[in-house]
Amino acid sequence: MNVFGVGLPEMAVIGAVALLVFGPKRLPELGRTLGKTLKGFQSASKEFEREINKAMADPEQQPSSDIEEPTAKPSND
């Protein structure tokens, strides 16, 4: 198991330090909060990737801008 370049022994050390710092009563709450945060980042990443893929797959249907292009004025030469 390798998450973000951190193996199982490193995760065990991080967990032990967190247990010592935060205590056993607060640790589950912190775990839930971290899980919800990671889930939010994951869903935002998937939504961003979906929008990018949609924009790249269909470049003709780009949203039109509200800025009109200037029209060429006839020259009075």
Side-chain angles (χ1 to χ4, degrees):
M1 188 165 111
N2 193 356
V3 180
F4 300 117
V6 179
L8 190 58
E10 291 90 356
M11 290 180 78
V13 170
I14 292 170
V17 170
L19 184 62
L20 290 173
V21 172
F22 296 112
K25 290 184 180 179
R26 190 137 184 252
L27 201 56
E29 177 186 335
L30 291 172
R32 277 192 297 276
T33 303
L34 180 63
K36 288 179 184 179
T37 303
L38 290 176
K39 179 76 171 171
F41 282 137
Q42 184 181 24
S43 65
S45 172
K46 284 182 182 179
E47 179 66 26
F48 180 73
E49 183 179 357
R50 204 172 316 141
E51 289 294 323
I52 292 294
N53 287 338
K54 185 182 358 174
M56 290 177 69
D58 200 4
E60 294 296 320
Q61 298 208 359
Q62 295 281 331
S64 63
S65 64
D66 294 333
I67 301 172
E68 294 181 17
E69 292 186 25
T71 56
K73 294 182 181 179
S75 63
N76 293 338
D77 292 330

